[in-house]
Amino acid sequence: MARLSTKSSGKLSRVKRSDNGKIYNKVDPVLVAAVVGLMAFGVLMVYSASSYNARVNYGNEYYYMFKQLIGVVLGLVAMTACAITDYHILKKWRFVILAVSFAMLVAVFIPGVGVENYGAKRWIYLPFFTIQASEIAKFGFIIFTAAYMAKYYEKMSTFRGLIPVLAVGVAMCVLIIAEPNMSITMCMIMLTFAMLFVGGAKMKHFLVLIVPVALLVPVLIMLEPYRLKRLTAFLDPWSSPLGEGYQLIQSFYALGSGGLFGLGLFNSRQKYLFLPFSESDFIFSVIGEELGLVGCVAVVAVYCVVIWRAVRIAKNANDRFGCYLSAGIAAITAIQTAVNIAVVTGSIPPTGLPLPFVSAGTSSLVVFCAGIGTLLSVERFSHKSIECLICK
């Protein structure tokens, strides 16, 4: 890959040196504004999408909104804590973080610890709340991989050098698919490929890896009857309008009725128990119904800003670890956003995956906020002794 270099002359106006030899850059206001805006918008849309469902099932129309507000507060705390902490600490603790990630993935299968919902064991029970282990594992993988590639960057052009990254990625995928969680598994596979690409893997390596992955996907689909039903529903949802195709059809109704400008905020009809998981995995459908195509494009534009600023931070990072770490966070944000939108629009088979910063779900919100805080840390902290980016 082409060598990237920092534009040090362009940073002089926003750099402050401390007595300990570190450089402190100002926080990226565009990134912070975009993320906070998405979270605030998420609270609003979670309320709109869930108010009737919450009133029917919990007797409180604000039930999901209050939970989302708690997630926002915890997310802001996590973002601030990560932003003010030197990201190099993550490199020192990478093996501990990786071990905790694997321990949590295993813990979901332990009776009394793991929580099963809708036939899947994806959550760990803690007092007052649950944690989705795979959400944390994704970022644990990014931290480990970034540290490994930064240390052994010269080996990343050889297949042998890729083996540790592949081994960790495959091990996580095996545990996640066993939950079962096909959506996060596919995200992990795409994230692994993205990290290898950033690290400098050669095209021939990707060709070798793509073949077994392409062969494995149909096998995984056929191993579980519900996955085959979802694939059939994706190809022709109207063949089972009250079965596997129901959710996708209701999503189509929501997006279609929204038109160009939408039905208006809080005026969704599909949220009246027609569209399952309207406040979480399919919240983008409600956004399309209430705000129309214009609203959807605006939301996607904000995500593009977040990803652009993350890539910019990766490009301007002052060491390989910061570069790879930022690139990984940008990649998982882009992947999960794209997959969620592709699902609700019927572009890929239906699967459960939250929309970052917007969908209801405390684990996802807090972890992604911590990721943004890490990006801010990469931008703020760099070492005086390094004058140019050595990331290839």
Side-chain angles (χ1 to χ4, degrees):
M1 294 184 184
R3 184 179 295 273
L4 303 175
S5 62
T6 56
K7 300 178 180 67
S8 57
S9 59
K11 286 187 174 182
L12 292 178
S13 61
R14 61 185 184 89
V15 170
K16 179 181 178 181
R17 293 185 184 276
S18 67
D19 295 336
N20 62 5
K22 291 183 179 179
I23 301 174
Y24 297 87
N25 293 334
K26 293 180 181 179
V27 171
D28 186 336
V30 176
L31 177 60
V32 173
V35 171
V36 172
L38 283 174
M39 289 194 294
F41 177 71
V43 172
L44 186 67
M45 293 310 304
V46 165
Y47 167 71
S48 178
S50 68
S51 57
Y52 182 76
N53 176 26
R55 186 165 63 248
V56 169
N57 293 299
Y58 300 99
N60 179 5
E61 64 179 301
Y62 301 104
Y63 176 80
Y64 287 104
M65 190 192 76
F66 285 153
K67 290 184 65 176
Q68 191 72 357
L69 282 172
I70 293 173
V72 168
V73 172
L74 294 176
L76 290 174
V77 171
M79 186 190 303
T80 303
C82 291
I84 64 177
T85 303
D86 191 338
Y87 67 95
H88 292 96
I89 291 178
L90 297 175
K91 187 176 183 180
K92 296 178 181 178
W93 288 85
R94 62 189 182 279
F95 293 115
V96 174
I97 295 172
L98 186 64
V100 170
S101 298
F102 274 109
M104 293 183 69
L105 289 175
V106 173
V108 299
F109 301 105
I110 300 176
V113 177
V115 178
E116 182 174 348
N117 282 324
Y118 305 103
K121 298 178 179 179
R122 304 174 184 175
W123 297 267
I124 296 175
Y125 174 79
L126 293 174
F128 308 112
F129 63 95
T130 58
I131 294 178
Q132 190 168 352
S134 57
E135 291 291 341
I136 295 175
K138 289 181 297 187
F139 286 86
F141 172 77
I142 291 173
I143 293 168
F144 166 79
T145 303
Y148 171 81
M149 294 193 307
K151 185 175 182 180
Y152 300 105
Y153 64 95
E154 293 179 341
K155 297 181 179 180
M156 293 305 296
S157 59
T158 66
F159 192 82
R160 184 176 180 180
L162 309 183
I163 292 177
V165 176
L166 291 173
V168 173
V170 169
M172 284 191 172
C173 286
V174 170
L175 290 173
I176 294 172
I177 197 65
E179 294 178 355
N181 193 333
M182 184 72 170
S183 56
I184 298 296
T185 302
M186 297 308 299
C187 282
M188 276 296 305
I189 292 173
M190 289 186 281
L191 176 62
T192 302
F193 276 73
M195 293 299 290
L196 292 177
F197 175 78
V198 172
K202 294 183 177 180
M203 188 56 64
K204 63 181 180 180
H205 297 149
F206 289 106
L207 294 176
V208 171
L209 295 172
I210 287 174
V211 173
V213 171
L215 295 174
L216 182 62
V217 170
V219 173
L220 291 176
I221 291 175
M222 291 192 306
L223 283 177
E224 290 287 348
Y226 82 91
R227 293 180 191 143
L228 190 58
K229 290 181 180 179
R230 285 187 176 183
L231 178 60
T232 304
F234 163 69
L235 297 174
D236 183 14
W238 282 272
S239 64
S240 57
L242 298 179
E244 290 296 327
Y246 176 81
Q247 191 173 30
L248 186 56
I249 291 174
Q250 297 305 316
S251 179
F252 287 159
Y253 286 157
L255 293 170
S257 62
L260 189 59
F261 298 105
L263 302 177
L265 191 62
F266 307 128
N267 291 332
S268 167
R269 294 188 289 258
Q270 296 305 110
K271 67 182 180 183
Y272 292 105
L273 303 184
F274 291 107
L275 178 62
F277 304 107
S278 59
E279 76 284 349
S280 54
D281 299 340
F282 277 74
I283 196 168
F284 194 78
S285 301
V286 178
I287 294 172
E289 184 181 13
E290 295 188 349
L291 304 180
L293 177 62
V294 172
C296 290
V297 171
V299 171
V300 172
V302 177
Y303 278 108
C304 289
V305 169
V306 173
I307 296 164
W308 162 54
R309 301 304 285 190
V311 171
R312 177 179 173 274
I313 291 173
K315 178 182 176 181
N316 294 329
N318 281 13
D319 61 1
R320 285 190 176 88
F321 177 62
C323 174
Y324 298 147
L325 185 62
S326 301
I329 295 171
I332 191 58
T333 304
I335 290 168
Q336 193 153 323
T337 300
V339 171
N340 177 274
I341 295 175
V343 166
V344 303
T345 56
S347 302
I348 62 175
T351 184
L353 194 68
L355 186 63
F357 308 112
V358 175
S359 290
T362 304
S363 296
S364 176
L365 183 56
V366 172
V367 172
F368 270 97
C369 283
I372 297 299
T374 303
L375 285 174
L376 299 176
S377 176
V378 173
E379 187 175 44
R380 292 184 67 242
F381 293 92
S382 60
H383 289 287
K384 181 178 178 181
S385 60
I386 299 178
E387 298 298 336
C388 66
L389 179 66
I390 55 177
C391 171
K392 296 197 274 188

